[in-house]
Amino acid sequence: MCIFCGDFIANVHWTEFKEDATSEIIVGDLQRSRQQSRIERVQFINKILVLYQLKLTEWNGSKFILSDLKGNTSIIHDLGTLWAEVEKLNGYAIDPLSADVMEKITIAN
Amino acid sequence: MPSRKKAITILTGSLGSGKTTLLQSLLTHHQLTENIAIIVNEFGKIGLDHHLLRQAEEKTTLLQGGCICCHAREDLEEELKNLLFSSEQGEIDFDRIIIETTGLADPAPILFTIMTNPLLQHRFVVDGIITTVDAKNGAMQIKNHEETVKQISAADIVALTKVDIVTTEELDLICAEIIRINPTCKIFHVENGNVNPSILNVERKLYNNRLPSNYQLPPYNNTSHIHSISFAFLQPLNWNSFGVWLSLLLYAKGENILRVKGMLNVGEAGPIILNGVQHIIHPPIHLSEWPENTKVSHIVFIMKDIPPTLLHQSLFSFQTFLGTEINLLHVHCI
């Protein structure tokens, strides 16, 4: 359960499994590296989203906020829900196999 | 700390490929040390005499907006909960559940059900998928039935049945065909239905001693729909950016990515084992050290209706983003 928004979180997205799935993590463990990797992930995502004039920001180590230039925002829990929300705001899905996306990414890099 | 989750093995395979015979042989094997519960979709002609046998009528809940792999199997959910509650109450005791599917079943919704259900995901772990392939008729089934290809691509282990009635040439041919579809699976030969219970212990480590070379992408073959393509990563991969790229790919094309399996160097002491079927990715396993003789970070994709050139180009365009250099290992068309 997310204490900020009362959201029931049933699944941990596969990108957020940091250690061996069999080991147990005590509350408060690995907070710094978790936060670092959340911020780093946001930076990577924004390298893609900037091409679509969208932006993602990290929010309190709990959620992410996706916004567009018109001021529309959306709360994102993890990478599992991000791309569907991007599709909603954008009007179409980003396909990493499309020639347009590949060209944009190559130029951006 | 060892996992307290109970293991689940999914047993799948075409009609008549020997699933029930394999199960029968397994349950009566004198070396079997585990206590096993069984869930079957249908009681076959060869009756299974087992005290922990449950039947589940295939019942699928269609989830809004989801593809076929994201459908929940209500029947299984119910049976797994029943077995769990009986075990909690001390009525029965088991270490592993084997789910025998129907010949036409797609294993992906079963994985989805177990891995996303709020209760089941904490009490069970899908240990492995075993697909039975008939050595005599397998080649024909691969050619004519898409389900067979899907079942092979999802497999961790392929149990090649009826090997006693085929010639060595036929056997080599079917083995090569299976490896072409799924280069990551391990093949077990089943003679007269006899199989060693070690088939249930899926080795999660993925070995690849093949070193990156200057392999060139072959011309795109329009006639084949299924391709497997492997890449090697020459430097440690940035796990965060790779997660972004793969999650985006699976969102856009998950239905057509039949399987993803890899052993990735992310700059830690050991590699990460990545294993996924369509949209569903198992929790990645972080190994504490590299398996012997394996130092190559690599990934295999099995895809339907996606030209390998596109995936190749996409990985190359995202190369700087991923922070590594990518080398193509091989491509197979089926």
Side-chain angles (χ1 to χ4, degrees):
Chain A
M1 177 83 74
C2 169
I3 53 163
F4 288 109
C5 52
D7 212 7
F8 180 66
I9 301 152
N11 291 301
V12 177
H13 194 254
W14 62 268
T15 49
E16 290 179 20
F17 273 91
K18 270 292 167 200
E19 293 302 314
D20 188 320
T22 57
S23 63
E24 285 188 2
I25 294 174
I26 301 159
V27 177
D29 258 7
L30 306 169
Q31 281 305 317
R32 181 175 290 194
S33 68
R34 180 177 170 271
Q35 189 64 7
Q36 272 171 350
S37 81
R38 281 173 74 85
I39 293 168
E40 191 187 38
R41 197 170 297 140
V42 167
Q43 287 168 350
F44 283 122
I45 294 167
N46 278 333
K47 281 186 189 174
I48 301 174
L49 295 185
V50 72
L51 308 171
Y52 299 88
Q53 302 187 325
L54 297 172
K55 193 181 175 192
L56 191 73
T57 43
E58 207 281 335
W59 188 70
N60 281 336
S62 164
K63 299 279 169 188
F64 301 98
I65 312 284
L66 177 69
S67 50
D68 67 7
L69 291 178
K70 293 178 199 159
N72 296 315
T73 55
S74 188
I75 297 172
I76 309 292
H77 177 57
D78 57 27
L79 276 174
T81 53
L82 170 70
W83 304 113
E85 289 298 324
V86 166
E87 185 176 358
K88 267 191 212 163
L89 281 189
N90 215 11
Y92 56 92
I94 302 176
D95 176 3
L97 301 185
S98 81
D100 177 47
V101 172
M102 288 194 269
E103 199 187 319
K104 280 179 177 167
I105 287 287
T106 313
I107 293 168
N109 283 329
Chain B
M1 186 185 287
S3 169
R4 280 170 301 201
K5 293 179 182 177
K6 289 193 187 291
I8 292 180
T9 301
I10 300 171
L11 177 62
T12 185
S14 307
L15 292 164
S17 61
K19 294 185 291 295
T20 313
T21 317
L22 182 89
L23 203 50
Q24 247 185 346
S25 143
L26 209 54
L27 293 176
T28 52
H29 205 287
H30 65 282
Q31 281 179 15
L32 185 74
T33 50
E34 287 181 314
N35 205 1
I36 291 180
I38 313 284
I39 297 176
V40 293
N41 269 135
E42 58 207 348
F43 291 111
K45 274 184 198 161
I46 312 164
L48 274 171
D49 182 21
H50 190 68
H51 67 294
L52 288 182
L53 182 66
R54 299 280 194 281
Q55 188 189 12
E57 289 283 342
E58 196 165 324
K59 205 165 124 196
T60 307
T61 321
L62 305 178
L63 303 181
Q64 206 184 357
C67 74
I68 188 76
C69 74
C70 308
H71 289 169
R73 286 276 305 269
E74 254 182 39
D75 53 322
L76 277 178
E77 194 184 314
E78 203 55 42
E79 282 311 322
L80 287 170
K81 281 182 185 168
N82 288 344
L83 281 170
L84 186 64
F85 295 147
S86 304
S87 148
E88 298 279 299
Q89 286 168 352
E91 291 167 9
I92 57 170
D93 184 29
F94 62 89
D95 313 301
R96 178 183 293 275
I97 298 177
I98 299 181
I99 300 173
E100 185 195 345
T101 71
T102 58
L104 296 171
D106 181 349
I110 302 176
L111 278 179
F112 178 81
T113 307
I114 299 162
M115 288 170 63
T116 57
N117 183 284
L119 174 67
L120 301 181
Q121 64 173 311
H122 296 295
R123 310 308 296 270
F124 294 107
V125 59
V126 179
D127 197 32
I129 300 180
I130 302 175
T131 300
T132 53
V133 177
D134 179 339
K136 189 82 187 160
N137 302 310
M140 190 190 70
Q141 284 164 342
I142 288 170
K143 210 169 152 193
N144 298 328
H145 302 291
E146 202 176 288
E147 291 82 13
T148 309
V149 177
K150 236 176 172 182
Q151 287 165 348
I152 295 174
S153 62
D156 293 300
I157 286 177
V158 168
L160 197 55
T161 59
K162 307 178 191 176
V163 291
D164 43 310
I165 57 165
V166 292
T167 61
T168 323
E169 289 77 34
E170 282 178 308
L171 193 62
D172 290 346
L173 213 69
I174 185 76
C175 285
E177 190 74 357
I178 292 166
I179 292 297
R180 254 155 46 92
I181 298 175
N182 185 351
T184 68
C185 73
K186 195 172 172 187
I187 302 178
F188 263 73
H189 289 190
V190 183
E191 221 168 304
N192 297 315
N194 291 324
V195 70
N196 193 303
S198 65
I199 195 171
L200 294 173
N201 305 322
V202 174
E203 178 66 88
R204 280 270 166 242
K205 290 168 190 160
L206 181 67
Y207 296 95
N208 185 11
N209 296 324
R210 193 173 175 152
L211 289 166
S213 59
N214 289 325
Y215 182 85
Q216 295 294 312
L217 196 69
Y220 177 48
N221 183 351
N222 272 327
T223 53
S224 47
H225 298 288
I226 315 268
H227 295 90
S228 71
I229 182 164
S230 318
F231 299 97
F233 300 109
L234 305 183
Q235 286 91 28
L237 193 68
N238 185 310
W239 179 239
N240 280 329
S241 61
F242 182 75
V244 171
W245 176 79
L246 188 62
S247 67
L248 176 58
L249 177 73
L250 294 179
Y251 177 74
K253 300 282 176 195
E255 268 177 273
N256 294 337
I257 309 275
L258 300 180
R259 188 79 193 263
V260 186
K261 200 166 179 185
M263 182 185 274
L264 307 171
N265 179 1
V266 293
E268 293 174 0
I272 290 184
I273 304 290
L274 183 76
N275 187 6
V277 175
Q278 290 178 266
H279 283 128
I280 310 144
I281 301 280
H282 289 267
I285 301 168
H286 294 242
L287 295 184
S288 55
E289 57 182 24
W290 281 84
E292 249 177 77
N293 304 326
T294 316
K295 264 282 180 188
V296 185
S297 173
H298 65 286
I299 192 161
V300 180
F301 291 88
I302 306 173
M303 313 172 295
K304 191 182 86 176
D305 297 328
I306 298 179
T309 37
L310 278 185
L311 193 75
H312 187 232
Q313 276 168 15
S314 177
L315 261 174
F316 271 78
S317 342
F318 280 81
Q319 200 163 249
T320 322
F321 181 81
L322 298 173
T324 182
E325 219 175 297
I326 293 151
N327 203 313
L328 184 65
L329 280 179
H330 70 246
V331 179
H332 285 310
C333 308
I334 292 107

